[in-house]
Amino acid sequence: GGCRQGSKEKHLAVDVICADGANVYAPFSGQLSGPIRFFHNGNAIDDGVQISGEGKWWFCVKLVCIHPSRYHGQIRRGQLLGRMLPMQKVFPGIISHIHVENCDRSDPTHLLRPDVPPFPQQDRRWAIICSGNPTNEIRGCDKYGCGYYNAPRYYGKARHKHTGVDVICADGATVYAPFSGELSGPVKFFHNGNAIDDGVQIRGQGFCVKLVCIHPIRYSGSISKGQVLGRMLPMQRVFPGIISHIHVENCDHSDPTSNLQRGKGQ
């Protein structure tokens, strides 16, 4: 029943908060059908699926702004259904969410509040990223700048903000995956082929992050949390006297500091 800006129509569904790239699960057992095109414009979130099923009650629901693993067949309650699409790419700054709409346009709110959590709570703290830095300590300031999120960056006369966080890491140190996910790359941050112009992206468990100034052991495939990801590149060769570090940047340019600091003392 929520209002929609610029329209007299009411919201005939409920938006369930979900981070871009997060796993999505089936709310009940049933039959899949789709795809569901909500926007009809082919944008990055114009996908979804319908589930209908019978039990003590009959349910039929459309889950929109997700990419399902398949559009047909049976699925069980709690089974992996797909993943959340990149809503920030289409609506920057929105609270990313799954649009949940009953097929008869009735209110699904009371069904969305389970009596008990349906899944065991996972430890979402990131692992240690660099050997020798057990607390994921963030680079302070040196003659080249500061390593915290939103630190000023100067390129010629232009001033920018640092959209990542610099985790201290000695040249040549072993680098580990902060969480489990899928690799993609290479990521070229400097675009000049210098000695540290390499990196990789990891997406999974509701996170998406780019690790730059490292050489990964591979650029694709699955990786587990804490598994060796690669090694730190020779930053001193490019920036003599800098505090060597891995540039850690969330794919949506949000602040990863809280995820990194959760590693302190672990």
Side-chain angles (χ1 to χ4, degrees):
C3 297
R4 282 291 175 262
Q5 186 175 4
S7 173
K8 295 181 179 180
E9 296 181 359
K10 296 290 187 181
H11 188 215
L12 300 179
V14 168
D15 296 338
V16 174
I17 295 172
C18 191
D20 291 10
N23 288 335
V24 179
Y25 304 93
F28 53 86
S29 300
Q31 183 76 26
L32 299 172
S33 61
I36 302 294
R37 306 300 186 192
F38 185 76
F39 297 94
H40 301 287
N41 60 9
N43 66 22
I45 58 174
D46 197 14
D47 198 2
V49 71
Q50 178 177 296
I51 309 177
S52 56
E54 287 185 302
K56 183 178 180 181
W57 307 99
W58 185 84
F59 302 114
C60 178
V61 72
K62 298 174 183 178
L63 302 179
V64 183
C65 305
I66 71 166
H67 179 64
S69 55
R70 62 183 191 278
Y71 296 107
H72 304 286
Q74 295 285 331
I75 195 164
R76 298 186 307 276
R77 174 183 175 179
Q79 187 177 350
L80 184 64
L81 175 62
R83 62 177 175 81
M84 178 67 195
L85 287 170
M87 186 167 282
Q88 295 300 317
K89 186 182 296 185
V90 181
F91 302 112
I94 198 172
I95 300 173
S96 292
H97 61 269
I98 301 168
H99 176 89
V100 180
E101 182 176 314
N102 278 342
C103 298
D104 63 1
R105 302 290 184 90
S106 60
D107 184 1
T109 303
H110 66 288
L111 298 168
L112 287 165
R113 304 194 183 281
D115 294 329
V116 294
F119 306 105
Q121 296 298 307
Q122 295 178 334
D123 182 0
R124 292 176 60 81
R125 291 173 297 189
W126 287 5
I128 294 167
I129 290 179
C130 179
S131 62
N133 184 0
T135 60
N136 288 334
E137 183 180 353
I138 295 170
R139 166 193 171 210
C141 298
D142 52 43
K143 65 180 181 180
Y144 294 96
C146 302
Y148 59 87
Y149 183 75
N150 262 346
R153 287 289 185 271
Y154 298 94
Y155 304 105
K157 295 183 179 180
R159 179 170 176 169
H160 301 272
K161 294 288 189 179
H162 189 212
T163 55
V165 167
D166 297 338
V167 174
I168 296 172
C169 192
D171 292 10
T174 302
V175 179
Y176 304 96
F179 51 86
S180 299
E182 287 290 323
L183 300 172
S184 61
V187 174
K188 303 298 186 183
F189 185 76
F190 297 95
H191 301 287
N192 60 8
N194 67 21
I196 59 174
D197 196 14
D198 198 3
V200 72
Q201 177 179 293
I202 310 177
R203 180 188 293 275
Q205 296 188 322
F207 303 115
C208 179
V209 71
K210 296 175 183 177
L211 302 179
V212 184
C213 305
I214 71 167
H215 180 63
I217 54 177
R218 62 182 188 277
Y219 295 107
S220 60
S222 298
I223 195 166
S224 299
K225 178 179 179 179
Q227 187 177 349
V228 174
L229 176 62
R231 62 178 174 79
M232 178 67 196
L233 288 170
M235 186 167 282
Q236 295 301 316
R237 188 185 303 174
V238 181
F239 301 111
I242 199 171
I243 301 170
S244 291
H245 61 270
I246 301 167
H247 175 84
V248 180
E249 183 173 312
N250 280 341
C251 298
D252 63 1
H253 299 301
S254 60
D255 186 0
T257 304
S258 61
N259 291 316
L260 290 163
Q261 290 183 331
R262 289 173 187 159
K264 287 189 174 181
Q266 299 302 313

